[in-house]
Amino acid sequence: MDTWIEDGHPTSPLGWRAATHDCGIKYRNRDDLALLVSERACTAAAVFTTNLVKAAPVRYDMELMTRNPTGLRALVVNAGNANACTGSEGEVATLTMARTTEEALGLPVDTAFVMSTGTIGVPMPIAKVVTGIQAAAQKLDAAKGPAAARSIMTTDTRPKHAALRVELPSGYTITLGGMAKGAGMIHPNMATMLSVVTTDAAISREALDAALRQAVEVSFNSISIDGDTSTNDTLLVLANGAVGNAPITDLASSDGASFVAALTALCQYLAQAVVRDGEGATRFVTITVRGAVSVADARLAAMTIAKSPLVKTALYGADPNWGRVLCAMGYSGAHLDPERVVLHFGGMRVLERGLPLPFDEKAASDLLNVPEVSIEADLGLGEGEATVWTCDFSPEYVAINAEYRT
Amino acid sequence: MDTWIEDGHPTSPLGWRAATHDCGIKYRNRDDLALLVSERACTAAAVFTTNLVKAAPVRYDMELMTRNPTGLRALVVNAGNANACTGSEGEVATLTMARTTEEALGLPVDTAFVMSTGTIGVPMPIAKVVTGIQAAAQKLDAAKGPAAARSIMTTDTRPKHAALRVELPSGYTITLGGMAKGAGMIHPNMATMLSVVTTDAAISREALDAALRQAVEVSFNSISIDGDTSTNDTLLVLANGAVGNAPITDLASSDGASFVAALTALCQYLAQAVVRDGEGATRFVTITVRGAVSVADARLAAMTIAKSPLVKTALYGADPNWGRVLCAMGYSGAHLDPERVVLHFGGMRVLERGLPLPFDEKAASDLLNVPEVSIEADLGLGEGEATVWTCDFSPEYVAINAEYRT
């Protein structure tokens, strides 16, 4: 039985402490640096942005994951500067953040993972960050998970964190905690979706890597805010084994299956929290496509709907615009026979076998004029099903994204 | 030497007449139907939407082009109803439009091409359209090209038409005329980009088809308004040979090369006119990517920039946001080495070898705060180059697209 911990956070699992500090990187009077530290060496798995333009910390972490994937002890994250498009100076800054963290915590080299988020193309004020890391290292506390989640915010309007307690079939009770920041590449030159999941479970590197790939597919890879993939996007999972369970090595085992389910649930919660906090968003939208010839096709159709500016502006206007949804699926690349499509908006059937059904415009608009709405499409071709989450496009989105520099 | 004809239009070439009529399909007190008729049989070539959801006229025309590609005589177009998602009733309506046009003009069967644009999913008021076609057939006039361009408008704010006179190296002077309507799938449930090019040149079907494919690649396939591909998009070229030139059969011949150049110029003019009239657009944006490993890569990178909501909102805000442009190229799928990229906004260099250059924010913003702006990226990898055209995303775009039904 999985249980959500009220106000859970990344230091909810055993053996985790956090600290934050106000380095003055960009913001005034708020913490902009977080440390997350494990008392034991962690098995790690991570996924990174597929953008060819990768920030310095992403390039560093990708290599770190090949050098020491089972010995990580700490994560250092700063907000306000993405350390992207900063050349060799940026590489030195990332390396300095890693080594300073390791030294301040008395850890071996190559045990600290680095994340940065904020403005692109501005040199990292590394002296401030070094001082901040050294100060934070003196303040580690198991209750500081929520503060860490708050310190990594950029254009986010609220911190995003959660934790889940899981009774493994083998008898051990493990905890998974996490935090995330979004919310798309909202602010001009702002990069990034960052997320970290911590746990006190023991799990092999191979099993953790496979579990993460399963979980990310139906969580962070199933959300879209504006379709732009940033330079810094990173999702990290760290497992320190503090509860002493027999390490999970097989995801098909009963413990393995429990772990995957919990990791997936936590990642979905965090990914949805990022969408709910999407810039200018007024509605949280769940899009389900079923009856596709494959899961891949269902995902393709659903993500194309989620990215269509015409669908997103219609959702802002509470318009059950089946034409735009059908049209988006038509150019998605997914197999489609328009004459088999059944479409529901907010639970109301609006299209059947490719033909519009008469419906009360006012009632339909009222159904959609709420904070959480759904679009369901049945393609009538096969068994493929996928669900993705997005938000609407509001005039506020344009305003937020146009206002910089002017 | 090619010469633009002042206020040129689709009946500028020899042997073409047009007529319009107010059928009352959707709008009040304006013509909403156009006939375009050639005195001689035409060689035809056409490209259609790649959307799997195709309107009834598109499905009809695709078959017509295989049945009678060298015998077309007329085009009938209506605005106000797209005849899409209208089932078998829609197929009957399209067939009725074709047959009524042929009969009213005393033409053989399978000589009329049909286009529709307007609302999706509403039955065509076919009785009104039949009456309108019969009335229009009595009013054919060689001066009615501009009226035809006006009658096919939907959310367009102005008619789009042009004509070009070309002295072929063989001595004949040919004319190419055309009209288009846009402007993206602007209005809710509105479909469509429609365009037709007429000419009095003689050209073989194979050569015309090849010429159209070359021209469309660097014109209508190089524009983006909101990235949505509609159910009705159609581009038709009709060549009636009225000037009596020896039919062009080889595009590599001097006459052939002249024809391709003129067709390309006209298609580019019409495509750009569609973008300039994009809904809510405040800026016309020319995006050039050069130095790519291939033309295909250059197109991919340029179109990804053109479709990025973050780039488009930055352009609305006159923000030289190189970070978003670099980021869009990074996830475009094109080959890219960020450290080789050079970027210009409005002619000003802002990024060199992946690193931002210092620039005066106010001066840069002033450079972009104009109706026509450019973004140029040199990837420094090869010889591939492509140019695409788009417009910015304004709050007005969201408003236009959200306001329907509410």
Side-chain angles (χ1 to χ4, degrees):
Chain A
M1 192 54 144
D2 298 359
T3 317
W4 289 99
I5 297 172
E6 199 177 330
D7 286 325
H9 50 77
T11 51
S12 293
L14 290 178
W16 285 96
R17 289 181 300 161
T20 62
H21 193 76
D22 177 356
C23 306
I25 296 170
K26 173 176 175 172
Y27 306 104
R28 302 217 164 265
N29 302 319
R30 57 156 274 195
D31 289 354
D32 53 8
L33 181 115
L35 291 182
L36 201 52
V37 183
S38 168
E39 66 182 23
R40 303 159 52 111
C42 296
T43 300
V47 288
F48 300 97
T49 180
T50 55
N51 198 311
L52 293 181
V53 182
K54 294 186 206 306
V58 170
R59 297 197 305 267
Y60 177 82
D61 293 333
M62 290 177 80
E63 289 183 17
L64 177 67
M65 290 300 289
T66 66
R67 285 202 303 272
N68 195 21
T70 57
L72 296 195
R73 291 286 300 274
L75 167 68
V76 55
V77 194
N78 76 276
N81 188 311
N83 199 6
C85 302
T86 44
S88 57
E89 200 184 327
E91 289 174 18
V92 172
T94 294
L95 193 63
T96 303
M97 287 175 69
R99 294 293 169 269
T100 303
T101 301
E102 289 151 1
E103 198 174 300
L105 296 169
L107 299 175
V109 157
D110 275 350
T111 55
F113 195 99
V114 184
M115 293 180 181
S116 295
T117 178
T119 309
I120 293 178
V122 174
M124 180 74 80
I126 191 64
K128 292 179 179 178
V129 175
V130 165
T131 306
I133 291 170
Q134 289 164 341
Q138 308 305 317
K139 300 187 279 186
L140 290 170
D141 186 324
K144 287 291 183 186
R150 185 170 289 277
S151 74
I152 64 172
M153 290 166 58
T154 55
T155 53
D156 306 65
T157 66
R158 49 185 180 268
K160 293 168 257 296
H161 54 83
L164 197 54
R165 189 156 288 143
V166 184
E167 290 175 30
L168 292 181
S170 62
Y172 287 91
T173 296
I174 63 168
T175 302
L176 287 85
M179 64 180 182
K181 58 88 47 187
M185 266 186 61
I186 297 156
H187 219 60
N189 285 350
M190 273 292 177
T192 312
M193 200 293 298
L194 298 181
S195 185
V196 57
V197 171
T198 55
T199 180
D200 46 23
I203 181 168
S204 73
R205 190 205 169 190
E206 291 69 27
L208 186 62
D209 199 66
L212 176 60
R213 275 159 218 290
Q214 280 187 43
V216 77
E217 196 64 11
V218 294
S219 58
F220 289 100
N221 283 350
S222 291
I223 61 172
S224 174
I225 290 176
D226 51 26
D228 280 67
T229 312
S230 106
T231 51
N232 292 51
D233 296 347
T234 303
L235 168 58
L236 171 69
V237 187
L238 295 166
N240 72 4
V243 300
N245 62 305
I248 296 166
T249 55
D250 178 7
L251 297 186
S253 68
S254 50
D255 275 11
S258 290
F259 183 84
V260 170
L263 181 63
T264 302
L266 183 59
C267 286
Q268 284 185 335
Y269 176 91
L270 292 171
Q272 291 175 16
V274 168
V275 173
R276 285 175 206 276
D277 199 13
E279 54 170 353
T282 73
R283 300 187 211 295
F284 176 78
V285 186
T286 301
I287 300 169
T288 301
V289 173
R290 54 176 65 94
V293 299
S294 65
V295 170
D297 253 31
R299 278 181 61 82
L300 188 59
M303 283 302 271
T304 306
I305 298 168
K307 287 180 185 173
S308 163
L310 287 170
V311 171
K312 292 163 87 81
T313 49
L315 286 166
Y316 170 72
D319 173 11
N321 200 310
W322 55 267
R324 293 182 185 178
V325 172
L326 187 63
C327 193
M329 293 196 296
Y331 68 76
S332 68
H335 291 270
L336 186 77
D337 176 351
E339 295 185 8
R340 285 170 178 247
V341 176
V342 177
L343 213 55
H344 287 81
F345 267 86
M348 189 178 66
R349 185 170 297 212
V350 293
L351 191 81
E352 177 137 5
R353 301 176 67 80
L355 292 172
L357 299 175
F359 57 86
D360 179 3
E361 298 278 347
K362 177 71 171 66
S365 183
D366 287 350
L367 265 178
L368 292 182
N369 199 10
V370 289
E372 310 231 337
V373 302
S374 69
I375 298 175
E376 290 173 71
D378 190 328
L379 307 190
L381 297 174
E383 301 296 317
E385 177 168 342
T387 296
V388 306
W389 300 276
T390 190
C391 51
D392 60 342
F393 255 11
S394 66
E396 181 69 8
Y397 171 87
V398 178
I400 291 172
N401 282 296
E403 267 169 6
Y404 189 66
R405 294 180 194 269
T406 56
Chain B
M1 192 56 146
D2 298 0
T3 316
W4 289 100
I5 298 171
E6 198 177 331
D7 287 327
H9 50 78
T11 51
S12 294
L14 292 178
W16 285 98
R17 291 181 298 161
T20 63
H21 194 76
D22 178 355
C23 305
I25 295 168
K26 174 176 173 172
Y27 306 104
R28 302 219 164 264
N29 302 319
R30 57 158 273 197
D31 288 355
D32 52 9
L33 181 116
L35 291 182
L36 201 53
V37 183
S38 168
E39 65 184 22
R40 303 159 51 113
C42 296
T43 299
V47 289
F48 300 97
T49 180
T50 54
N51 198 311
L52 293 181
V53 183
K54 294 185 203 311
V58 171
R59 297 198 305 268
Y60 178 81
D61 293 333
M62 289 176 81
E63 290 184 15
L64 176 66
M65 290 300 290
T66 66
R67 286 200 304 269
N68 195 20
T70 57
L72 295 196
R73 290 286 303 276
L75 166 67
V76 55
V77 194
N78 76 276
N81 188 310
N83 199 7
C85 302
T86 43
S88 57
E89 201 185 325
E91 289 174 18
V92 172
T94 294
L95 193 64
T96 303
M97 287 174 69
R99 295 294 168 268
T100 303
T101 300
E102 289 150 1
E103 197 172 301
L105 296 169
L107 299 175
V109 158
D110 276 349
T111 56
F113 195 99
V114 184
M115 293 180 180
S116 296
T117 178
T119 308
I120 293 178
V122 175
M124 181 73 81
I126 191 64
K128 293 178 179 178
V129 175
V130 165
T131 306
I133 292 170
Q134 290 164 340
Q138 307 305 315
K139 301 188 278 185
L140 290 170
D141 187 326
K144 287 293 183 184
R150 185 170 289 278
S151 74
I152 65 173
M153 291 166 58
T154 54
T155 53
D156 306 65
T157 66
R158 49 187 181 264
K160 293 168 258 294
H161 53 83
L164 197 54
R165 190 156 287 143
V166 183
E167 290 175 30
L168 292 181
S170 62
Y172 288 90
T173 297
I174 63 168
T175 301
L176 287 85
M179 63 181 182
K181 58 87 49 185
M185 265 187 61
I186 298 156
H187 219 61
N189 285 348
M190 272 293 177
T192 311
M193 200 294 298
L194 298 182
S195 184
V196 58
V197 171
T198 55
T199 180
D200 46 24
I203 180 167
S204 73
R205 190 206 168 188
E206 291 68 27
L208 186 62
D209 199 66
L212 177 61
R213 272 158 220 290
Q214 280 187 42
V216 76
E217 197 64 10
V218 295
S219 58
F220 289 100
N221 283 349
S222 291
I223 61 172
S224 175
I225 290 177
D226 50 25
D228 280 68
T229 313
S230 107
T231 51
N232 292 50
D233 295 348
T234 303
L235 168 59
L236 171 70
V237 187
L238 295 166
N240 71 6
V243 299
N245 63 307
I248 296 166
T249 56
D250 178 7
L251 297 188
S253 68
S254 51
D255 276 13
S258 291
F259 183 85
V260 169
L263 181 63
T264 301
L266 183 60
C267 286
Q268 284 185 335
Y269 176 90
L270 292 171
Q272 291 176 16
V274 168
V275 172
R276 285 173 206 278
D277 199 14
E279 55 170 352
T282 73
R283 300 188 212 294
F284 177 78
V285 186
T286 301
I287 299 169
T288 301
V289 173
R290 54 177 65 92
V293 298
S294 65
V295 170
D297 252 31
R299 278 181 61 81
L300 188 59
M303 282 302 269
T304 305
I305 297 168
K307 287 179 185 174
S308 163
L310 287 170
V311 171
K312 292 162 88 82
T313 48
L315 286 166
Y316 171 73
D319 172 10
N321 200 310
W322 56 267
R324 293 182 185 178
V325 171
L326 187 64
C327 192
M329 293 197 296
Y331 67 77
S332 68
H335 292 269
L336 186 79
D337 176 352
E339 295 182 9
R340 286 171 177 247
V341 175
V342 177
L343 213 56
H344 287 81
F345 267 87
M348 187 179 68
R349 187 171 297 211
V350 293
L351 191 81
E352 177 136 5
R353 300 177 67 81
L355 290 173
L357 299 174
F359 58 85
D360 178 4
E361 298 277 348
K362 175 73 172 62
S365 183
D366 287 350
L367 266 177
L368 293 181
N369 200 9
V370 290
E372 309 232 337
V373 300
S374 69
I375 297 175
E376 289 173 72
D378 190 328
L379 307 191
L381 297 175
E383 301 296 317
E385 177 170 341
T387 296
V388 307
W389 300 277
T390 190
C391 51
D392 60 341
F393 255 11
S394 67
E396 181 70 8
Y397 171 88
V398 178
I400 291 171
N401 281 297
E403 267 170 4
Y404 190 65
R405 295 181 193 270
T406 55

